[in-house]
Amino acid sequence: MASDAGVEITRRPDDYEKVKKELVAAGYRGERVVVLACSTIPSIHAMSQVATDVLRRIGMNINMQLLEWGSVVARRASREPLDKGGWSIFYTSLGGMGNISPGPNLPLQASGATAWFRLAR
């Protein structure tokens, strides 16, 4: 079940300036991005450090909030705007066989009010 298809994009040098220009061309104008990062689960904490660093390098206006996991879970339920406790990004990971097939994959079952979680708007 292994394949090299699509791997080449991960093997080239990083070009943050190119991505920064593409982000601006796509309409990003420096809006604040609130990131909920977990401090109590080492793998998710490491993921949040690396991914948020990349977002900053490409020019995003990041407000990273380091919280324990219970607070991340409680906060991600908010559908409020950013200035009222909302959020833009949170990091997590899912394991197990339920992620191999689209049928039981919870994040793929994201339709309206029944979604696994909903983004604040």
Side-chain angles (χ1 to χ4, degrees), residues 9 13 17-18 34 57 64-65 70 72 85 92 113-114 118-119:
I9 195 169
E17 290 305 313
K18 178 182 177 193
V34 174
R57 288 177 188 234
M64 187 169 89
Q65 300 178 13
V72 171
T92 190
T114 62
R118 290 190 57 180
L119 297 176

Side-chain angles (χ1 to χ4, degrees), residues 23-31:
L23 189 62
V24 170
Y28 181 70
R29 300 290 180 257
E31 297 87 355

Side-chain angles (χ1 to χ4, degrees), residues 36-52 64-69 91-93:
L36 306 181
C38 175
S39 63
T40 54
I41 301 174
S43 60
I44 298 175
H45 183 247
M47 181 189 329
S48 69
Q49 300 300 306
V50 172
T52 300
M64 187 169 89
Q65 300 178 13
L66 194 58
L67 308 165
E68 54 83 30
W69 183 244
Y91 303 104
T92 190
S93 60

